[in-house]
Amino acid sequence: MLEPAKFNALMYTNQKIYTKLKNEVPTYYSEDSKVSSSQFATGCVIQGTVEHSLVSRRSRIDKGAVVKHSIINTSSKIASNAWIEYAILDKNVIVDPGVQIKGTPEKPVVIRKGEHVTTNVSEGEV
C-alpha cells in the first residue's frame, strides 16, 4: 500500500472493496512527530518517528519512539523511546518505554495479540 503503483492497482479498478465504516476522530500528529512514507488509520496519536510503516486505528506512538518498516495493528501502544523495526504487532500490543523489537526484512518479528512487551526482542526470539 505504500508503493503508488500497487496502491493504484488495488484502489482504482472496477473490483469492489468492502470495509467496515468507522467514523472516528482523525489521526493527531504532534509538532515533534516525524513521518515519512507511511499510512495511518483514524484515531491514532503520533508523537514519535514513523518511517515506511502502516499503523491501524487507535494506535499510539509516544514521543521519542521510532517505528520503521513495520505494521502496527489496532489499539497498540508504543511507549517513549521504544524502537520497532521490521516487526508486525497484532492488535492491543503494548511496548514498554525503551524496549527494542528488531527483525529483518527476511524475518520480521511478530508479536501476538494482546502481548505486553517488557524486554527487547530480536529476530528469531518470538
Side-chain angles (χ1 to χ4, degrees):
M1 294 297 293
L2 297 177
E3 296 175 23
K6 290 180 181 177
F7 179 84
N8 290 335
L10 175 66
M11 300 304 281
Y12 297 107
T13 65
N14 290 332
Q15 183 176 346
K16 291 182 181 180
I17 298 173
Y18 295 95
T19 185
K20 292 180 183 178
L21 181 61
K22 300 278 186 178
N23 290 328
E24 297 184 28
V25 298
T27 290
Y28 169 78
Y29 302 92
S30 77
E31 289 182 16
D32 297 324
S33 67
K34 294 182 180 102
V35 174
S36 65
S37 187
S38 298
Q39 287 185 352
F40 299 86
T42 56
C44 295
V45 175
I46 310 301
Q47 296 174 312
T49 299
V50 183
E51 298 176 8
H52 203 76
S53 296
L54 299 174
V55 180
S56 294
R57 291 181 177 104
R58 296 180 303 278
S59 292
R60 180 180 186 97
I61 299 172
D62 287 344
K63 189 174 182 175
V66 176
V67 176
K68 294 182 176 186
H69 305 283
S70 296
I71 299 172
I72 310 298
N73 281 298
T74 304
S75 298
S76 292
K77 292 179 176 61
I78 314 300
S80 61
N81 301 313
W83 187 284
I84 315 294
E85 190 167 9
Y86 293 107
I88 301 170
L89 278 57
D90 204 344
K91 62 184 175 179
N92 299 311
V93 169
I94 298 171
V95 179
D96 277 356
V99 169
Q100 296 184 8
I101 300 174
K102 291 187 177 183
T104 65
E106 298 79 27
K107 235 181 175 177
V109 172
V110 178
I111 305 295
R112 287 184 219 113
K113 178 170 75 172
E115 289 286 320
H116 185 169
V117 184
T118 59
T119 59
N120 295 346
V121 180
S122 296
E123 171 205 354
E125 292 185 9
V126 176

